[in-house]
Amino acid sequence: MQLYNTLSAEERAILIDDAGKQRLTLSFYAYAQLPNPTEFRNELFLAWNPLDVLGRIYVANEGINAQLSLPADNFYAFKDTIEKYDFMKGIRLNIAVEHDDYSFLKLTIKVRDKIVADGLEDETFDVTNIGIHLKAKDFNELLENPNTIVVDMRNHYESEIGHFTNAIKPDVDTFRESLPIIENQLSEHKQDKNLLMYCTGGIRCEKASAYFKHKGFENVYQLEGGIIEYTRQVKAEGLESKFIGKNFVFDHRLGERITDDIVSQCHQCGKPCDVHTNCVNEGCHLLFIQCDECKTTMENCCSSECVEVIHLPEEEQKAIRKGIINSNKIFKKGKSGVLKYKN
């Protein structure tokens, strides 16, 4: 019984080409009490693998967080596999704004402690006691209210390339960092202001809204379905998009164009640019913003040091990488000291 991906990304890409079918990229989440997340994880893999579902999915005792792609032909068969579970019946599936058949090239389902790492160990915190969900039209209206504070619940490298106008954008690397920062910054407005939050697909706001209600904030709102669903509703209803720029996504595309605005800069030369890339050096892979000119000049590297490394023989590159933990450098995601202009 196969319970794990057995094909390489290259092999999977060939199979996608050979199939010649359009694929849908979508995401969803659900908070629920799952007594046996490992068993749930295995059931999902066995159901999804035959449907050619690919993606990155996390399950935990508190629910599921999924970002995936599948052949459009298999969409309704896929819906049947998730709606057999009571807590996912009628669940909203956020369909990507821009489609890419190669957005995911493996099916990875992992069991985690939490579907959104929050660093909280408060057993009195009820994650299901959430704020008020707002659709795009109501969200836009509340944005215009002078009594509203809007907060971006994403990380710095996400909000850097696109955000709602006048939003507070915490300069953080992780969701868990943002919670105490926002609470402290807005501690004097727990009763007198509307706390309006948004994120990519809604999952972080869902937990954040419950957290801030737990901390005494009285008027807590969140964008239903996040930026992805907001964009769909804006287009369908002919609304003005208050979100400008690109929406960062966690697949190989690294972003979906929402408006033509370029709100960020190349981390190497400072020109207007909002294209994320990973340093091509296998021992680095730093995520940063790089324009086409710098991509050519720097050979898709983040620094001259990495350019030197990629020209070494492969065996020498492997020797340099051996035993070195690069997670701290990768984790900086555009804050590395090697990015001269950015820093």
Side-chain angles (χ1 to χ4, degrees):
M1 181 169 59
Q2 182 186 340
L3 289 173
Y4 297 91
N5 177 79
T6 58
L7 296 178
S8 68
E10 292 76 15
E11 291 170 325
R12 181 65 69 177
I14 292 172
L15 289 180
I16 291 174
D17 286 338
D18 290 344
K21 294 183 178 180
Q22 180 188 357
R23 299 181 66 87
L24 297 177
T25 299
L26 58 89
S27 61
F28 66 91
Y29 69 90
Y31 284 99
Q33 296 299 320
L34 300 179
N36 192 333
T38 298
E39 180 180 319
F40 176 61
R41 177 255 174 231
N42 292 342
E43 289 175 0
L44 292 181
F45 192 95
L46 291 173
W48 292 353
N49 196 43
L51 297 177
D52 198 18
V53 174
L54 304 173
R56 186 184 304 111
I57 298 94
Y58 299 129
V59 298
N61 289 116
E62 68 174 10
I64 180 172
N65 179 16
Q67 300 165 45
L68 52 85
S69 76
L70 74 160
D73 293 350
N74 293 345
F75 178 73
Y76 290 104
F78 169 77
K79 279 193 70 176
D80 289 342
T81 68
I82 60 176
E83 294 198 342
K84 65 177 282 190
Y85 300 96
D86 288 341
F87 75 95
M88 289 196 287
K89 285 183 177 177
I91 192 171
R92 182 186 59 252
L93 301 176
N94 286 327
I95 308 296
V97 176
E98 299 174 347
H99 292 293
D100 186 330
D101 289 345
Y102 310 98
S103 56
F104 293 100
L105 293 173
K106 291 184 179 180
L107 175 56
T108 304
I109 309 178
K110 294 184 178 181
V111 176
R112 292 283 180 86
D113 291 334
K114 296 184 179 183
I115 55 174
V116 176
D118 54 30
L120 303 175
E121 297 181 2
D122 185 349
E123 295 183 0
T124 67
F125 167 50
D126 180 5
V127 72
T128 65
N129 183 24
I130 61 175
I132 298 171
H133 283 206
L134 296 178
K135 296 188 182 299
K137 184 174 183 296
D138 295 329
F139 187 88
N140 278 359
E141 290 178 359
L142 197 57
L143 271 178
E144 299 301 319
N145 188 322
N147 214 36
T148 294
I149 299 174
V150 59
V151 179
D152 193 321
M153 293 306 304
R154 302 172 302 155
N155 305 326
H156 74 89
Y157 56 91
E158 299 173 80
S159 61
E160 183 176 14
I161 62 171
H163 49 79
F164 279 96
T165 52
N166 300 320
I168 294 173
K169 304 181 291 293
D171 186 19
V172 296
D173 292 309
T174 64
F175 174 73
R176 71 174 65 192
E177 291 177 72
S178 65
L179 295 177
I181 290 175
I182 294 168
E183 182 189 357
N184 292 336
Q185 188 172 347
L186 304 181
S187 60
E188 297 180 0
H189 301 293
K190 292 185 176 183
Q191 286 78 41
D192 67 329
K193 296 288 185 181
N194 300 313
L195 176 56
L196 182 58
M197 295 176 292
Y198 68 91
C199 58
T200 307
I203 187 171
R204 284 175 280 187
C205 287
E206 194 93 350
K207 179 170 282 189
S209 69
Y211 173 80
F212 290 122
K213 286 185 69 175
H214 178 67
K215 289 295 184 177
F217 286 82
E218 294 183 359
N219 307 303
V220 181
Y221 301 85
Q222 66 188 90
L223 179 58
E224 183 180 73
I227 301 162
I228 297 173
E229 176 63 13
Y230 173 86
T231 303
R232 189 195 68 77
Q233 292 179 18
V234 162
K235 291 181 178 179
E237 300 173 26
L239 304 174
E240 177 188 0
S241 177
K242 301 289 187 178
F243 184 94
I244 56 174
K246 290 173 72 174
N247 179 29
F248 186 94
V249 293
F250 292 89
D251 56 58
H252 90 94
R253 296 172 299 157
L254 297 176
E256 294 181 321
R257 172 68 58 197
I258 307 301
T259 70
D260 293 332
D261 303 271
I262 308 294
V263 299
S264 52
Q265 298 167 304
C266 173
H267 286 171
Q268 291 175 318
C269 72
K271 293 179 182 176
C273 179
D274 57 10
V275 179
H276 274 103
T277 189
N278 286 101
C279 179
V280 75
N281 177 11
E282 293 287 347
C284 177
H285 282 317
L286 176 72
L287 178 68
F288 66 108
I289 297 175
Q290 186 178 51
C291 68
D292 289 340
E293 290 84 355
C294 288
K295 191 181 189 76
T296 300
T297 303
M298 297 298 296
E299 300 182 58
N300 206 175
C301 289
C302 68
S303 63
S304 56
E305 292 81 3
C306 283
V307 173
E308 292 176 7
V309 169
I310 66 171
H311 287 290
L312 294 173
E314 184 62 30
E315 291 305 313
E316 288 189 40
Q317 292 188 44
K318 289 181 179 178
I320 293 173
R321 296 197 297 268
K322 189 175 181 180
I324 297 177
I325 299 175
N326 292 295
S327 60
N328 287 337
K329 187 174 183 182
I330 296 168
F331 192 64
K332 289 179 181 294
K333 290 183 170 62
K335 288 186 176 180
S336 173
V338 304
L339 298 169
K340 305 301 183 185
Y341 176 84
K342 176 64 177 174
N343 294 280

